[in-house]
Amino acid sequence: MYTEKVMDHFSNPRNVGDIKDADGVGEVGNAKCGDIMRIYLKVDNNDVITDVKFKTFGCGAAIATSSMVTEMVKGKKLDEALEISNQAVAEALGGLPPAKMHCSNLAADALHEAIKDYITKKGK
Ligand code: FES
């Protein structure tokens, strides 16, 4: 049902935790299942994401997509990170079962919220 990549990111999630002095924090919830995902970003003066962590209270697919999105954005510029879609995260994991596609929505949405939070805080 799940690809090896999904199982790998679920069993060994990358970048779990929080960043105390984060430059941007994004939180989204899934109204259907009640799961919540939070993403923390550190951003340098050139708008490059230098660190990213996540905390997800949710299903295995939500944890795997959170882990994958953190790997996809580390070292990227904010405008590149904003282009990462929910679909791209699911594809990077080799796909998700149709019934679990909605779980991938949390990952890119939380990332985009964190970037918006950074932009608002910096007044950019
Ligand atoms: Fe809630 Fe997957 S079932 S995010």
Side-chain angles (χ1 to χ4, degrees):
M1 180 174 168
Y2 290 113
T3 65
E4 254 177 52
K5 267 197 183 161
V6 173
M7 291 311 293
D8 177 31
H9 278 267
F10 169 59
S11 309
N12 306 294
R14 319 322 190 241
N15 306 307
V16 177
D18 54 22
I19 299 175
K20 296 281 176 249
D21 56 344
D23 297 313
V25 181
E27 181 179 300
V28 293
N30 184 321
K32 271 192 209 156
C33 61
D35 291 349
I36 295 172
M37 184 183 295
R38 208 172 290 150
I39 288 197
Y40 304 82
L41 298 176
K42 282 301 281 180
V43 181
D44 73 9
N45 291 335
N46 297 316
D47 285 347
V48 172
I49 297 172
T50 54
D51 198 12
V52 50
K53 295 257 189 282
F54 80 90
K55 274 193 178 164
T56 293
F57 311 91
C59 72
I63 289 166
T65 50
S66 317
S67 170
M68 178 51 89
V69 87
T70 61
E71 289 223 306
M72 290 168 82
V73 299
K74 206 181 262 191
K76 281 221 161 68
K77 291 203 73 157
L78 291 178
D79 50 356
E80 293 171 313
L82 268 175
E83 281 172 17
I84 293 174
S85 64
N86 299 319
Q87 187 69 32
V89 179
E91 278 170 14
L93 286 165
L96 285 169
K100 284 286 172 183
M101 276 307 286
H102 74 274
C103 311
S104 72
N105 294 351
L106 290 182
D109 288 355
L111 168 69
H112 296 163
E113 286 301 315
I115 294 172
K116 273 190 224 157
D117 181 49
Y118 167 78
I119 291 169
T120 309
K121 276 183 185 155
K122 295 282 169 185
K124 291 197 175 185

